[in-house]
Amino acid sequence: MPRTTAVIAVTALLGTLLTGALPSAAADEPPPAPVAVDRFEGEIPFANPPAEGLFTWGSDADDPPKLRIAERADAPEGSKVLEGDYDISGWGGFSHDFAFDRPAHDWTASKGIRFWWYGQNTAPLPPGSGKRIHFELKDGGANGEASELWTTSFTDDWEGWHLVEIPFSEFQYRADYQPVGGIDQVLGLDEMWGYALTLPPGSPGSFALDGVELYGKAEPALNTKVVTETVVHPVGEGGTAEVKVSVASTGSTPLAEPVTVTYATEGGSAQAGADYTPVTGSLTFPAGTPSGASRSIAVATKKDRSAESAETIPLVLSVTGAKAPAENPLVVVDAHGLPYLDPKLPVKKRVADLLGRMSLAEKAGQMTQAERNALRSPGDIASYDLGSLLSGGGSVPSPNTPSAWAKMIDSYQLRAQATRFQIPLIYGVDAVHGHNNVVGSTIMPHNIGIGASRDPKVAERTGAVTAKEVRATGIPWDFAPCLCVTRDERWGRSYEAFGEDPALVTAMETVINGMQGARDGRDLDRNDKVLTSAKHFVGDGGTEFGSSTTGSYTIDQGVTKVTREELEAVHLAPFAEAVKRGAGTVMPSYSSLDVLGDDQGPVKMHANAEMINGVLKERMGFDGFVISDWQAIDQIPGDYPSDVRTSVNAGLDMIMVPTNYQDFTRTLKDEVTAGRIDQARIDDAVARILTQKFKLGLFERPYADTSRIGEIGSAGHRAVAREAVAKSQVLLKNAGGVLPLKKSQKVYVAGSNADDIGNQAGGWTISWQGSSGRTTPGTTILEGMRKAAPEAEIAYSKDASAATDGFDVGVVVVGETPYAEGFGDVGNGNDLELTAADKAAVDKVCAAMTCAVLVVSGRPQLIGDRLGAIDALVASWLPGTEGDGVADVLYGARPFTGQLPVTWPKSEAQLPVNVGDSAYDPQFPYGWGLTTLTAAPSGGDSALRAIGVAAKVLQATGHGTSAEGRALLAKARGIVQQKVGQNVTEATAKPFAEADHLLLTGDLTGAVAKLRAAYKAAG
């Protein structure tokens, strides 16, 4: 290296201090020569796996860093370094994977890994206060993308080049994510596939890296560590805490050397002698002790018979012969005797008592929600008095199982017990169509399919199943349902809506009762109910195409431009219903609202005090709490303090930070102290949050009740999803009665979505964006067909390349691949066209035989140019894991009864097009849906007149929206659809669509009149 020995030695010392290691005093033999891993002189290319190379990754299109190899005069090694720039909102970084077709590397002979890092601080900061960078090793497994992940971190506390040395003993098994669910949880070092660096989110930055190499000689003694079962040990006053101390060795081999653990109770808020009996002593684990052996330390507490908050008793451990635990155990004497702890008192009194005891810092913590992966350490839950954690999409434990979720949530709740008042966390998750982050859960159809069912009872049952599965994993809060009214299907979130008609969205809000139970919240403490979050308030489904300023998004998070009348009728109406149904939380939209005629221009919803304070809380009487969306306050114009005070003063009660909880809590306290946020506003926010925590029973039962965990993904739950799938299928065309299929027919199945669980589940499934393939257990449509007709000959050729002769009927299942949020926006890499492969499959199969085409998608696909060649067309939406439900209607076990929840356009140029528009000429109108429930109705206009008379009677007796009323209109709809056939015109489509809207609003007679108008227009 072109540096003096003295400079290298000094910088290496800084690196050892950085990682917490101490320079060894032993110098019996010279250290081995370092082993180069990366010199960044051009020997390693930028390339994606399976080839060896450097590659970037991130949570969205803007998050992968930009890398380059650059020549630098100050390069610590050689003449070039790796440089990069980043601006990460979620997560992002880069990896070096070794070639998959060559043997893994063996690093067992080395002590650790080191590299030169160019510090970006303009002035030196105290160690540990700079930006945190995570460094990860890829160990074992088949290759670098199917290996076990081990992680540690360092902080960038210097300016200029410094050498970071990380002993392998510092790496911990990554608990939040493992690509293969983990292998053996042993850092073997004999099968290394590369490394990765995760860069800090929240603000732009740059970095430079050079000279990655292995250093030192392996230290076998450090393969042994001392662990405690938990860090926090709550105990009732007068009880005795048992602190379990164990030894563990790499490979689970017996101890090669003795290990001694000395201990003593020191410090804390409890008083030695008065509150507990001090303990000191030592534990010895002799050589030969089996790995996993444990001893216990007893800490006895005393009763003083006075009501008080929780008190802490740290137990300080000192270890020789092994690596010490990362944290010392902490015994906590539970809070007791205080009014807020009394479950017999009314919730309002409990809230008032607790609120009166809290400091500003504790209140600020309650208003803070952090993403679990953003925690610098689990101890920050108590240090910052955090009120909430969440799992973002794909933020899962390892392994991703229900029991692992419950254990993870419990571990976080346990940390909250170390706070003064032991206020439990409220953990949240986006379970938007079932407990969709959990492998093996029941994945329901997305909301667009539930809307197609037109069945409020189905919506309620799916909500109840979702709540059971979510609560069984210890999570009491679901960021659902989405009550958006999708007005432009170019929007990447349109499948999260129940439909384009606010009356349909309102009708499906029975899902709230399925999730929460009674409207007054009295069921929330049950082990099968969760707190809901009505989102996104208000107008997120109405954003104008091209108005988004978020990254490459075209419509998501854009501007909704509406008249005051349209705002009330279309976008606010579903939230008024949610408040009536008792939704416990409301989440504002990322989007901006521009009410035409008020001369205010667009206002970010997270800053819209008129809507949140004025309309939601005051006019509608919403008494739950308002939670922000992910890092959404950062989009408010102004600096960060302005973002905080504007959003809180506008009525936000809890902020989904989600990564920068340190700055948020500090800023919030500063704004209150300076008088820019009133203390009464803080007290109102915290009272609202505490109210829901008390209603959920979290103070009495903060930990997971796993008695229902066996029901996750159960046959009973899947049966509910299967019914919802069947009822969501919309039969758009059925020339010659192709459907239902006969079990005697020879069927040729093709298309990209016939046999793909990931595609039929869509986004928000296991990961945020979802992915193709078998991501979770379930039944594909092809598998469902084969189960429904086990004796039938059912051939499958994804691309229709197999011979097509000899078959009675073809079923081509086409559509979209998964996406979520703005990544799905049309114009952002997506459109409404089928892929070339899907078009070719449709063309080939439908030219060769009678065919049915199923469109599995989150929104309509443009198929008009092929409609003439297609005998039967089905909108299958995104059915989730239960492909059996699709097979049920294909083979007639259940009838087709679904109706379009959105208008099916003829072209993208028609968008936006919605029921009620003055110009309305779609491919298929809103509400369209043929049925196989009964034979084609007869009677024509005379039958419609008779139906109109019956409708007047039902409506006059208050039964306009009853099951009888819906059945009556279904008969009328069938008469009209038979008359119209495939000759949909503007004259028939407009009144047909409006009839369904009128039915949903209770105007049964008006609906029949519209259908008569459509019938007459059909000629």
Side-chain angles (χ1 to χ4, degrees):
M1 294 183 181
R3 292 233 166 176
T4 66
T5 303
V7 170
I8 292 176
V10 169
T11 316
L13 176 60
L14 292 177
T16 59
L17 292 174
L18 178 70
T19 59
L22 294 175
S24 174
D28 297 332
E29 58 184 58
V35 178
V37 177
D38 276 336
R39 300 181 64 242
F40 304 115
E41 297 297 312
E43 75 282 4
I44 303 300
F46 294 114
N48 290 313
E52 179 166 10
L54 296 159
F55 61 96
T56 63
W57 34 266
S59 56
D60 61 38
D62 297 329
D63 284 352
K66 306 297 187 293
L67 302 183
R68 58 190 174 273
I69 301 294
E71 291 216 20
R72 287 178 57 147
D74 65 345
E77 196 280 334
S79 60
K80 299 177 182 178
V81 303
L82 177 68
E83 292 183 343
D85 303 301
Y86 60 88
D87 187 359
I88 301 169
S89 59
W91 44 265
F94 64 93
S95 299
H96 176 187
D97 274 12
F98 303 144
F100 290 6
D101 60 350
R102 298 177 191 171
H105 295 205
D106 187 341
W107 291 358
T108 56
S110 300
K111 177 181 179 179
I113 191 165
R114 68 187 180 194
F115 46 87
W116 290 95
W117 183 266
Y118 191 82
Q120 301 295 319
N121 294 309
T122 56
L125 298 173
S129 59
K131 288 186 176 181
R132 184 166 296 275
I133 295 94
H134 291 268
F135 192 94
E136 186 171 270
L137 299 179
K138 303 186 175 191
D139 173 52
N143 54 61
E145 297 308 293
S147 58
E148 198 167 69
L149 305 181
W150 290 74
T151 187
T152 189
S153 63
F154 64 94
T155 51
D156 185 0
D157 299 327
W158 281 267
E159 181 181 9
W161 290 107
H162 61 276
L163 188 65
V164 179
E165 290 192 345
I166 309 177
F168 290 133
S169 60
E170 294 291 324
F171 286 87
Q172 301 291 325
Y173 178 78
R174 186 169 169 180
D176 59 306
Y177 171 72
Q178 291 288 341
V180 290
I183 301 170
D184 58 6
Q185 299 192 30
V186 174
L187 181 58
L189 298 174
D190 57 338
E191 290 184 310
M192 300 305 300
W193 288 105
Y195 65 88
L197 280 90
T198 302
L199 299 167
S203 60
S206 60
F207 72 91
L209 177 72
D210 199 16
V212 181
E213 64 183 18
L214 309 179
Y215 75 94
K217 183 179 179 181
E219 299 180 44
L222 292 180
N223 289 334
T224 302
K225 58 183 178 181
V226 170
V227 296
T228 56
E229 191 172 34
T230 61
V231 173
V232 180
H233 298 263
V235 62
E237 187 189 41
T240 298
E242 295 287 339
V243 180
K244 187 177 178 181
V245 179
S246 305
V247 288
S249 62
T250 301
S252 299
T253 58
L255 302 189
E257 302 290 339
V259 173
T260 301
V261 181
T262 60
Y263 59 86
T265 49
E266 295 179 11
S269 59
Q271 294 185 7
D275 295 316
Y276 69 96
T277 302
V279 296
T280 58
S282 64
L283 304 172
T284 300
F285 298 88
T289 298
S291 179
S294 62
R295 309 277 191 274
S296 290
I297 303 168
V299 179
T301 68
K302 298 182 176 183
K303 281 194 173 184
D304 58 13
R305 292 181 173 81
S306 61
E308 55 193 348
S309 58
E311 297 173 314
T312 57
I313 309 168
L315 185 63
V316 179
L317 306 183
S318 179
V319 177
T320 57
K323 183 182 174 184
E327 296 178 80
N328 283 313
L330 183 70
V331 175
V332 180
V333 183
D334 290 336
H336 53 277
L338 300 173
Y340 77 89
L341 295 169
D342 185 356
K344 296 178 182 178
L345 288 178
V347 166
K348 192 171 183 179
K349 287 189 176 181
R350 298 178 74 182
V351 169
D353 177 69
L354 178 52
L355 190 65
R357 299 176 186 277
M358 295 170 67
S359 67
L360 176 58
E362 288 164 330
K363 292 173 183 177
Q366 285 301 299
M367 295 174 66
T368 307
Q369 184 182 65
E371 214 288 336
R372 53 181 285 273
N373 282 328
L375 292 173
R376 293 184 308 179
S377 75
D380 278 2
I381 292 172
S383 299
Y384 287 85
D385 293 287
L386 296 180
S388 182
L389 294 180
L390 82 148
S391 279
S395 178
V396 302
S398 177
N400 186 357
T401 63
S403 59
W405 275 88
K407 289 177 182 177
M408 177 183 76
I409 305 302
D410 283 356
S411 71
Y412 294 137
Q413 288 288 18
L414 186 60
R415 292 289 186 156
Q417 294 299 299
T419 59
R420 189 163 63 122
F421 298 115
Q422 298 182 303
I423 303 173
L425 294 166
I426 179 170
Y427 200 98
V429 68
D430 285 282
V432 298
H433 64 139
H435 200 358
N436 44 254
N437 282 299
V438 181
V439 171
S441 65
T442 307
I443 305 299
M444 301 291 174
H446 270 293
N447 283 352
I448 197 73
I450 302 298
S453 79
R454 291 299 197 283
D455 192 335
K457 291 183 179 178
V458 162
E460 185 171 0
R461 286 196 292 272
T462 60
V465 167
T466 298
K468 282 183 184 178
E469 297 200 0
V470 170
R471 196 69 182 256
T473 57
I475 299 171
W477 186 14
D478 186 358
F479 303 135
C482 185
L483 302 182
C484 46
V485 182
T486 175
R487 305 294 283 179
D488 188 334
E489 278 60 60
R490 289 172 291 187
W491 187 36
R493 305 191 77 149
S494 60
Y495 63 78
E496 295 187 51
F498 290 111
E500 69 184 34
D501 183 356
L504 175 57
V505 175
T506 300
M508 295 298 110
E509 290 187 52
T510 50
V511 68
I512 295 173
N513 304 106
M515 289 181 171
Q516 284 199 180
R519 301 183 182 205
D520 62 3
R522 65 178 180 271
D523 294 330
L524 283 172
D525 62 348
R526 286 170 34 178
N527 67 359
D528 63 344
K529 297 300 175 189
V530 294
L531 196 69
T532 60
S533 187
K535 65 184 189 184
H536 302 93
F537 186 83
V538 56
D540 57 336
T543 49
E544 184 177 78
F545 188 79
S547 66
S548 181
T549 57
T550 300
S552 57
Y553 295 2
T554 58
I555 185 170
D556 188 31
Q557 303 186 21
V559 180
T560 297
K561 298 179 181 179
V562 288
T563 63
R564 181 71 61 175
E565 181 182 34
E566 185 181 355
L567 173 64
E568 294 285 347
V570 176
H571 298 291
L572 279 172
F575 288 94
E577 180 66 19
V579 172
K580 291 177 185 176
R581 291 184 181 272
T585 67
V586 168
M587 181 183 290
S589 175
Y590 280 113
S591 57
S592 300
L593 181 64
D594 186 359
V595 180
L596 302 177
D598 68 358
D599 298 325
Q600 291 186 30
V603 179
K604 277 286 184 183
M605 275 308 308
H606 280 73
N608 200 322
E610 178 193 353
M611 288 291 114
I612 299 172
N613 283 331
V615 174
L616 178 65
K617 289 185 174 180
E618 294 175 16
R619 194 184 85 189
M620 293 183 181
F622 174 65
D623 59 4
F625 69 87
V626 178
I627 169 71
S628 87
D629 209 333
W630 178 282
Q631 208 170 337
I633 70 166
D634 294 20
Q635 294 187 9
I636 298 172
D639 58 19
Y640 193 62
S642 172
D643 295 344
V644 171
R645 67 174 171 268
T646 299
S647 59
V648 172
N649 284 333
L652 268 70
D653 302 306
M654 181 183 284
I655 308 299
M656 189 185 294
V657 179
T659 58
N660 197 14
Y661 55 92
Q662 304 97 324
D663 281 353
F664 173 74
T665 52
R666 180 177 62 252
T667 303
L668 180 58
K669 289 183 290 185
D670 289 346
E671 291 297 303
V672 175
T673 302
R676 290 184 287 267
I677 299 175
D678 193 81
Q679 182 67 54
R681 171 76 271 269
I682 299 297
D683 288 350
D684 172 61
V686 177
R688 289 169 176 267
I689 295 164
L690 293 177
T691 296
Q692 299 302 330
K693 290 187 176 185
F694 280 119
K695 285 184 177 181
L696 285 161
L698 295 177
F699 281 83
E700 289 72 48
R701 294 177 300 281
Y703 305 115
D705 179 347
T706 58
S707 59
R708 293 182 179 270
I709 208 165
E711 296 181 43
I712 295 176
S714 65
H717 287 185
R718 290 180 185 272
V720 173
R722 181 173 179 169
E723 178 189 4
V725 171
K727 290 187 173 182
S728 73
Q729 303 298 295
V730 181
L731 184 58
L732 299 172
K733 180 181 180 181
N734 195 26
V738 175
L739 298 176
L741 302 172
K742 300 176 181 64
K743 294 184 179 181
S744 59
Q745 289 176 307
K746 294 175 65 176
V747 184
Y748 185 100
V749 180
S752 60
N753 287 349
D755 194 33
D756 195 304
I757 284 288
N759 286 359
Q760 74 186 41
W764 292 106
T765 308
I766 309 307
S767 62
W768 174 37
Q769 291 291 317
S771 59
S772 301
R774 192 162 288 276
T775 56
T776 190
T779 303
T780 66
I781 294 171
L782 174 65
E783 290 167 343
M785 292 175 65
R786 287 175 169 165
K787 288 165 65 178
E791 304 301 321
E793 182 179 335
I794 300 176
Y796 171 59
S797 176
K798 181 176 180 178
D799 60 358
S801 59
T804 57
D805 52 315
F807 291 92
D808 300 312
V809 63
V811 175
V812 191
V813 189
V814 296
E816 297 182 302
T817 53
Y819 54 80
E821 299 192 40
F823 285 100
D825 285 354
V826 167
N828 188 26
N830 291 275
D831 55 41
L832 301 180
E833 297 279 350
L834 299 179
T835 65
D838 275 348
K839 289 178 180 178
V842 170
D843 292 345
K844 182 174 181 180
V845 175
C846 292
M849 66 192 81
T850 300
C851 73
V853 173
L854 278 62
V855 180
V856 175
S857 63
R859 54 196 169 192
Q861 303 292 282
L862 302 176
I863 203 163
D865 57 345
R866 286 173 167 75
L867 195 55
I870 295 170
D871 298 291
L873 179 64
V874 180
S876 285
W877 306 114
L878 296 171
T881 53
E882 304 315 297
D884 284 325
V886 180
D888 285 341
V889 293
L890 288 179
Y891 277 98
R894 289 180 181 270
F896 279 96
T897 57
Q899 297 174 246
L900 284 181
V902 294
T903 300
W904 198 285
K906 289 180 178 177
S907 68
E908 186 180 322
Q910 279 190 315
L911 297 174
V913 58
N914 296 286
V915 57
D917 287 355
S918 56
Y920 190 76
D921 186 22
Q923 191 82 62
F924 297 103
Y926 168 79
W928 187 268
L930 307 177
T931 183
T932 54
L933 179 63
T934 58
S938 59
D941 190 54
S942 61
L944 288 174
R945 284 198 303 271
I947 289 171
V949 172
K952 285 182 180 179
V953 173
L954 281 174
Q955 189 162 330
T957 57
H959 294 85
T961 58
S962 64
E964 293 81 6
R966 292 195 300 272
L968 197 65
L969 199 73
K971 185 174 290 186
R973 189 186 304 112
I975 292 171
V976 175
Q977 287 180 146
Q978 184 185 34
K979 176 80 169 177
V980 172
Q982 291 298 300
N983 300 313
V984 178
T985 65
E986 183 170 9
T988 57
K990 184 174 173 58
F992 185 95
E994 290 170 356
D996 202 60
H997 169 73
L998 290 172
L999 171 67
L1000 289 163
T1001 60
D1003 187 358
L1004 184 59
T1005 56
V1008 175
K1010 288 288 185 182
L1011 287 176
R1012 284 194 70 195
Y1015 183 89
K1016 291 176 180 178

